[in-house]
Amino acid sequence: MKNILFVASESTPFIKTGGLADVVGSLPKCFDKEKYDCRVILPKYMCMSEEWKSKMNYVTHFYMDLGWRSQYVGVLEMQYDGVQFYFIDNEYYFSGSKPYGNIYQDIEKFAFFSKAALSALPSIGFRPDIVHCHDWQTGLIPVMLKDKFPENEFYRGIKSVITIHNLKFQGVWDVKTVRDLTGLPSYYFTPDKLEAYGDANYLKGGIVYADAVTTVSDTYAEEIKTPFYGERLDGLMRARSNSLRGIVNGIDYDVWNPDTDPLIDHHYNAKNFRKEKIKNKRALQRELGLEQNDSRFMVGIVSRLTDQKGFDLIAHMMDEMCQNDIQIVVLGTGDEKYENMFRHFAWKYQGKVSANIFYSEALSHKVYAACDAFLMPSLFEPCGLSQIISLRYGTVPIVRETGGLKDTVQPYNQYESTGTGFSFANYNAHEMYYTIQHAMEVYHSKKREWNKLIDRGMAMDYSWNSSARKYEEMYDWLAGC
Ligand code: ADP
Ligand code: GLC
């Protein structure tokens, strides 16, 4: 039996801001339970819903040094869906209205969380063979596991993995503050270790010190070795390329299943979607005040509204797009400029554009179920889950060929009748627009072809089945070396 510990800043169903939460909340239960005991440590944020907080059980508490500070560490636990979760409690750090706030606060918050997660292990009575870290928030863990922790016999020989879900966010702050916070000696703050371009960089520390590095698709694993996608760490990614691999994300097939999904109005599956899926479209048109018309080409967007997702291309083409027989449904929050852009177009094209500028798990399921197509023209995309969810819901993805979008959506080929979606290569607004028009044309005038695209998309397997096996292989290899 191998013990694996996930340490992460978010996980479904407790707290979610993006795809990281979906991955951490769904992957651990997919490992072979006979061979792997995989547990998860998260912060206990005050903004988690009462429903979850009231179910957590107190385990222990202690005080921990953080630089010159001494901080309270509470440990709570809860079993969920067959997985053991632990929560680190500290009201000073985790009391915000959202998991993340100002970067200078987050820098201290996640130094605390990383050290607390490791420090709590002996009192929990769980010694991992491998600590699996996720993103910059846990980047200090591989460093700490090589620094002071091994002075204690308990930690000696523990291996670490870091998964990069998004290279853009690195946890960068000045060296002096980070030294002060972590108590790490100046030895670590050189350009071959934690320092990058004069500052301390948590993610870089994680990448340098982890025993293995993964990211969430093959294409992104290649892209980040280049300056365009490398976010100024491409040199490091090239240097670590022997320890870097891409493992594509899966989704939770129990949660994302149009045949049983309790959050959608009308269930359907790969056999009956031709008749049943449209009922969800009608229901959503009614709910959102869109024109009640079966034949409008309904395009969905469920996303963080940031530059990463290609919204400047969409902003550029919104007027043109709205001249067509189209409906656009947006669900998202993020940069104010994009929130206001969609509000503006919803006002300008009433009945055609619906802007839902908030976070709603329930509405997201309805959008995936109701729409004909899903638009995701990302500038970069480590993996992307929305297009995978769309495939599962028979909603045809329209994507830019980058990162995980390229790996999970096969472009439609009308001559060979292959493919599961529509895609374009260059980050160019007109290329995106022509691709949407092409999709619209197939939808309106070649319905049989369109339905075959859906058939092929719904037949794809993006459950965790094969990717969980790849993580297991990596754990075995790490534990053996
Ligand atoms: P990222 O992690 O970069 O945000 P992903 O495609 O990997 O992108 O994952 C996004 C996840 O967050 C999906 O599960 C998507 O449905 C969900 N999501 C994004 N915005 C919202 C929102 N406003 N309401 C509900 N779910 C959302
Ligand atoms: C990040 C990426 C996204 C990926 C998710 C889960 O938020 O932006 O592409 O799917 O992490 O790995």
Side-chain angles (χ1 to χ4, degrees):
M1 180 67 93
K2 288 189 185 70
N3 290 345
I4 314 292
L5 179 73
F6 271 42
V7 190
S9 56
E10 49 181 280
S11 170
T12 56
F14 309 105
I15 187 89
K16 168 168 162 178
T17 71
L20 169 63
D22 294 282
V23 172
V24 177
S26 58
L27 175 56
K29 67 175 174 187
C30 298
F31 294 128
D32 181 346
K33 290 218 163 44
E34 309 265 285
K35 295 193 188 138
Y36 305 89
D37 181 354
C38 181
R39 306 188 186 184
V40 184
I41 297 197
L42 306 168
K44 178 182 177 252
Y45 299 107
M46 215 112 99
C47 60
M48 285 171 165
S49 79
E50 273 313 314
E51 182 197 352
W52 299 117
K53 283 191 289 190
S54 64
K55 289 186 182 139
M56 296 173 188
N57 309 304
Y58 170 85
V59 180
T60 184
H61 77 270
F62 55 89
Y63 283 81
M64 178 188 83
D65 291 340
L66 190 68
W68 50 267
R69 304 155 188 80
S70 175
Q71 299 288 19
Y72 171 89
V73 180
V75 183
L76 293 93
E77 68 87 36
M78 181 180 156
Q79 288 257 345
Y80 181 79
D81 213 1
V83 176
Q84 179 69 55
F85 284 86
Y86 300 98
F87 302 88
I88 300 291
D89 186 23
N90 177 302
E91 293 195 354
Y92 169 67
Y93 288 120
F94 301 133
S95 62
S97 60
K98 288 184 291 185
Y100 315 119
N102 294 321
I103 182 68
Y104 65 89
Q105 287 170 334
D106 289 352
I107 281 284
E108 182 168 338
K109 186 191 293 183
F110 290 107
F112 166 79
F113 173 62
S114 296
K115 191 167 183 193
L118 290 180
S119 304
L121 296 173
S123 46
I124 291 170
F126 184 70
R127 185 193 175 277
D129 297 288
I130 291 155
V131 179
H132 191 154
C133 309
H134 297 269
D135 274 354
W136 76 264
Q137 291 88 347
T138 54
L140 287 176
I141 289 179
V143 186
M144 292 172 173
L145 278 173
K146 292 278 188 315
D147 185 51
K148 285 266 174 342
F149 275 92
E151 286 173 11
N152 177 340
E153 173 73 37
F154 179 90
Y155 297 95
R156 220 165 288 160
I158 294 181
K159 298 279 169 53
S160 62
V161 180
I162 188 158
T163 295
I164 304 167
H165 295 265
N166 196 331
L167 193 60
K168 189 169 180 85
F169 304 111
Q170 299 177 0
V172 177
W173 202 245
D174 71 86
V175 170
K176 191 164 165 287
T177 309
V178 173
R179 271 195 61 188
D180 170 72
L181 274 176
T182 56
L184 287 167
S186 53
Y187 163 82
Y188 288 101
F189 296 90
T190 57
D192 57 332
K193 306 191 189 75
L194 246 92
E195 191 213 295
Y197 306 98
D199 283 320
N201 184 314
Y202 283 23
L203 183 65
K204 183 174 179 196
I207 295 169
V208 170
Y209 281 98
D211 297 293
V213 182
T214 75
T215 186
V216 288
S217 68
D218 278 322
T219 295
Y220 194 61
E222 290 307 314
E223 287 173 340
I224 56 180
K225 294 176 203 158
T226 68
F228 184 81
Y229 293 99
E231 305 288 348
R232 307 214 296 171
L233 293 185
D234 47 298
L236 174 64
M237 301 321 307
R238 289 194 295 276
R240 291 240 58 193
S241 59
N242 283 336
S243 310
L244 168 70
R245 61 183 296 190
I247 302 178
V248 74
N249 285 334
I251 54 168
D252 190 327
Y253 264 35
D254 298 330
V255 172
W256 300 107
N257 180 355
D259 214 8
T260 55
D261 187 339
L263 297 174
I264 66 175
D265 296 317
H266 303 279
H267 291 150
Y268 59 95
N269 55 39
K271 288 204 187 82
N272 66 15
F273 73 86
R274 286 174 178 74
K275 276 179 119 162
E276 300 301 318
K277 183 172 159 64
I278 188 121
K279 294 180 183 167
N280 291 292
K281 180 170 171 177
R282 290 176 192 140
L284 195 66
Q285 285 176 334
R286 214 173 306 121
E287 182 176 335
L288 300 180
L290 292 165
E291 187 196 339
Q292 292 276 299
N293 186 331
D294 284 1
S295 71
R296 293 282 178 264
F297 184 58
M298 189 190 263
V299 179
I301 295 172
V302 179
S303 182
R304 291 183 294 115
L305 303 179
T306 67
D307 291 334
Q308 173 188 341
K309 303 291 177 177
F311 287 110
D312 51 346
L313 302 188
I314 296 175
H316 205 73
M317 299 313 297
M318 271 304 271
D319 274 314
E320 265 96 332
M321 283 199 284
C322 290
Q323 307 314 311
N324 295 286
D325 190 0
I326 201 170
Q327 284 180 340
I328 300 172
V329 179
V330 180
L331 171 63
T333 58
D335 295 355
E336 230 169 283
K337 63 176 173 183
Y338 296 128
E339 293 188 343
N340 290 335
M341 182 266 286
F342 283 119
R343 287 191 184 107
H344 166 77
F345 285 110
W347 164 81
K348 189 168 176 186
Y349 298 103
Q350 276 169 36
K352 235 175 179 174
V353 177
S354 168
N356 304 277
I357 310 301
F358 49 82
Y359 186 93
S360 163
E361 203 61 39
L363 186 57
S364 76
H365 285 242
K366 290 183 187 176
V367 174
Y368 289 119
C371 289
D372 299 300
F374 189 88
L375 181 60
M376 204 165 167
S378 304
L379 174 62
F380 69 93
E381 198 60 72
C383 179
L385 299 174
S386 293
Q387 83 283 8
I388 297 178
I389 299 169
S390 298
L391 287 170
R392 176 104 166 120
Y393 279 67
T395 302
V396 177
I398 303 174
V399 303
R400 189 170 93 82
E401 290 155 13
T402 184
L405 297 174
K406 186 171 177 188
D407 295 352
T408 56
V409 178
Q410 294 151 8
Y412 171 56
N413 180 322
Q414 58 190 353
Y415 306 105
E416 292 172 4
S417 202
T418 55
T420 56
F422 292 82
S423 64
F424 60 100
N426 297 305
Y427 193 72
N428 173 300
H430 286 98
E431 243 182 81
M432 176 192 75
Y433 183 55
Y434 295 138
T435 309
I436 296 171
Q437 278 192 315
H438 182 203
M440 211 158 16
E441 198 183 291
V442 177
Y443 173 80
H444 284 305
S445 51
K446 296 181 189 148
K447 216 22 170 286
R448 279 172 60 93
E449 280 292 293
W450 183 265
N451 284 334
K452 283 195 213 153
L453 263 159
I454 299 179
D455 277 332
R456 292 189 292 269
M458 291 185 87
M460 301 297 292
D461 181 3
Y462 282 110
S463 67
W464 278 108
N465 272 337
S466 69
S467 291
R469 301 294 85 76
K470 289 186 183 159
Y471 281 111
E472 289 175 352
E473 274 166 32
M474 182 183 65
Y475 297 149
D476 291 349
W477 175 79
L478 274 174
C481 58

